[in-house]
Amino acid sequence: MKLPTTCDGWATRVSAFVKAATELQNLPRFPIRIGPVAQEYARNIFPKEPITLVQGARFDGKFEGALIPSPQKAGEWGIFYNAGITSRGRINFSLAHEFGHYLLHRHLSGDPIYCSRSDMWEWDSEYGRMETEANRFASMILMPPDDFRVQTAEFRRPSISQFEQLRDRYEVSITAAILKWLDMTPRRAMLVVSNNGFIDWSRSSPALFKSGVFFRAKQVTTPLPEQALANLGASAGVTEIMHPAGVWNLREPVFESVMFDEYHDLALSLLIYPADGPSRWASCEDDDSQLMDTFEAFLR
Ligand SMILES: [Zn+2]
């Protein structure tokens, strides 16, 4: 049988394998614990290149996961996750990401592939194409779109706490579940990840991006709005708020919900904007220096 060459192709193939295996053993469909799946799949499809080791490693805190060829036995591979992480969701997502590298990229150089925390967030970068592919594979395997659509059908104005049920159902990171939802939703929404009062990175849903609302990329230092909930920290005990216009956006009210416990040093803010953005032409005179204009981005 011809082997897939794309991340979507591999995700479809491995999903069918997982479905058949769980039905045969009468197991629930979710969560898909990818460690044993990866080993079983590699042994069946690539008997000369099996994944013989899935385990935690120290990495000195530098990496989230790695795919490494065995130094002792030619052809064998090991998949590693950061043993310092206790979140089962982050570990499972990292393993699926590394399994994606195994299927798609292990022959590119044959060298070990080490992946940082920020590599797990690359979803649309040409520069980080390999990382984007590994994440897309992991997301499709662990959160199949058919089921994900059903689970999020009632998400009208979701708060970040609603994503905890997805994290538990699929055993993924909250971040991965939110990024997938942002990819699929027709809503205007954004995830903002911040560190000590400054935006580390953010992602807008396609609908919000099209209406011209997104933050400049990492090279520009952007402080959080003063009244952002993310500024208050976990001890404030407030996890969601409806901000009036003038806080996150000059012209629009924004619903913000926050979470502080996925990463020890980062705050996650989920922002939900009104369904319809203000008219682009009415906003020409506003001086909203933090927001980049879509037209400006288009010209670059
Ligand atoms: Zn990677």
Side-chain angles (χ1 to χ4, degrees):
M1 193 168 19
K2 200 165 174 289
L3 293 174
T5 52
T6 62
C7 49
D8 290 18
W10 274 117
T12 306
R13 190 71 70 87
V14 178
S15 282
F17 175 85
V18 172
K19 192 159 178 280
T22 46
E23 280 172 7
L24 198 66
Q25 299 171 69
N26 221 357
L27 295 170
R29 188 176 174 199
F30 302 110
I32 296 164
R33 302 222 161 87
I34 207 72
V37 168
Q39 289 188 282
E40 186 66 21
Y41 191 80
R43 191 164 43 236
N44 273 279
I45 308 297
F46 303 108
K48 291 188 176 135
E49 297 171 279
I51 296 169
T52 48
L53 198 60
V54 176
Q55 78 176 34
R58 283 276 150 222
F59 294 140
D60 295 328
K62 268 191 243 156
F63 301 106
E64 192 91 350
L67 171 72
I68 299 176
S70 166
Q72 284 95 30
K73 295 192 179 157
E76 295 190 9
W77 293 83
I79 286 180
F80 298 86
Y81 60 90
N82 182 343
I85 292 170
T86 52
S87 155
R88 292 154 65 110
R90 273 176 71 187
I91 292 171
N92 201 37
F93 189 84
S94 294
L95 291 178
H97 174 109
E98 299 309 329
F99 184 34
H101 279 318
Y102 168 84
L103 294 171
L104 288 154
H105 309 129
R106 72 181 183 284
H107 289 147
L108 292 184
S109 74
D111 291 336
I113 299 176
Y114 290 94
C115 305
S116 68
R117 187 171 67 173
S118 61
D119 287 336
M120 303 291 158
W121 301 329
E122 293 281 3
W123 278 47
D124 54 4
S125 149
E126 204 34 54
Y127 175 75
R129 197 175 56 82
M130 271 171 56
E131 301 311 323
T132 301
E133 288 176 349
N135 285 330
R136 203 178 151 82
F137 170 82
S139 173
M140 283 186 73
I141 281 293
L142 300 179
M143 302 176 277
D146 64 328
D147 190 75
F148 194 87
R149 257 185 222 106
V150 173
Q151 299 304 319
T152 56
E154 304 296 316
F155 280 22
R156 296 280 172 260
R157 193 191 69 180
S159 68
I160 220 165
S161 60
Q162 281 175 270
F163 286 84
E164 287 174 7
Q165 48 185 313
L166 300 178
R167 173 192 63 195
D168 299 342
R169 177 178 182 80
Y170 299 122
E171 211 163 293
V172 295
S173 64
I174 286 269
T175 315
I178 295 174
L179 289 175
K180 187 172 192 85
W181 180 74
L182 286 176
D183 227 26
M184 294 171 65
T185 185
R187 296 231 39 159
R188 298 172 70 237
M190 187 193 296
L191 173 65
V192 175
V193 179
S194 60
N195 178 358
N196 275 325
F198 289 90
I199 294 177
D200 192 64
W201 60 278
S202 66
R203 180 79 45 78
S204 298
S205 68
L208 187 65
F209 187 84
K210 269 188 218 131
S211 66
V213 181
F214 53 92
F215 288 102
R216 287 173 191 278
K218 272 179 185 171
Q219 48 271 33
V220 182
T221 308
T222 308
L224 288 173
E226 209 172 311
Q227 288 126 294
L229 268 192
N231 267 334
L232 295 182
S235 56
V238 190
T239 56
E240 52 187 74
I241 193 170
M242 190 71 202
H243 291 294
V247 177
W248 278 98
N249 188 284
L250 278 185
R251 301 178 296 280
E252 299 187 88
V254 173
F255 177 68
E256 178 186 8
S257 57
V258 286
M259 177 172 280
F260 299 95
D261 56 4
E262 173 131 290
Y263 309 103
H264 66 95
D265 54 340
L266 301 173
L268 307 182
S269 295
L270 180 63
L271 308 180
I272 310 291
Y273 289 68
D276 299 310
S279 157
R280 304 252 322 110
W281 305 111
S283 65
C284 287
E285 289 171 22
D286 289 333
D287 177 25
D288 190 352
S289 58
Q290 288 176 2
L291 292 173
M292 189 192 227
D293 194 275
T294 321
F295 184 61
E296 189 188 330
F298 177 76
L299 289 180
R300 292 187 166 191

